[in-house]
Each structure stands twice: as structure tokens, then as C-alpha cells.
Amino acid sequence: MRRNPSVGKGWLVIGALFIIVGFGLIMFRNASYDKQIVLMKEQCKDEGGELIVKELGNFFTRNYDIKCDK
């Protein structure tokens, strides 16, 4: 039985698509977090405080420590 050499290329394309979609979702998530932080800054400023944001992690595992000092 002979193997078809094109099968491996198909799996590479599928893997590349998963990587591209994953990076797209990471970019979307980070942009969403940035928008939420801007809204929280405005809300904290309206309440008479200052929002302190500490970014933890890296590009892939982004976490925030958020505190509104009044």
C-alpha cells in the first residue's frame, strides 16, 4: 500500500489555520480588555478616584491587577 504524500500537507494547512485563528482570538481578547480598562478608568474618574492597573503576564497570558483609589 502506498501513502499519499499530499495528506501531510493537508494537516500542515489545518494546523496553520488553527494557529492563525488562535492569534486572531488573542488579539481580539487583548483589544477587548484594553477597551474595558478605558471604560473602568472613566468610571473611576467620575467617582473621584484614580484607577491603578498592573499588567501581569505576557502577550499570551495577560492578567490585570485593578484597583480604584479614592
Side-chain angles (χ1 to χ4, degrees), residues 27-50:
M27 298 290 247
F28 177 75
R29 180 194 66 193
N30 289 345
S32 174
Y33 286 165
D34 292 339
K35 289 178 185 177
Q36 289 176 357
I37 288 173
V38 169
L39 292 174
M40 283 191 262
K41 281 183 182 180
E42 292 173 2
Q43 182 181 4
C44 187
K45 188 176 180 182
D46 290 342
E47 294 175 0
E50 182 180 350

Side-chain angles (χ1 to χ4, degrees), residues 53-68:
V53 179
K54 292 181 185 176
E55 187 175 320
L56 309 169
N58 57 26
F59 181 76
F60 298 106
T61 60
R62 191 178 282 189
N63 294 322
Y64 296 97
D65 183 25
I66 300 173
K67 183 179 180 183
C68 184

Side-chain angles (χ1 to χ4, degrees), residues 1-8:
M1 181 170 17
R2 295 180 54 183
R3 289 184 57 192
N4 186 354
S6 299
V7 173

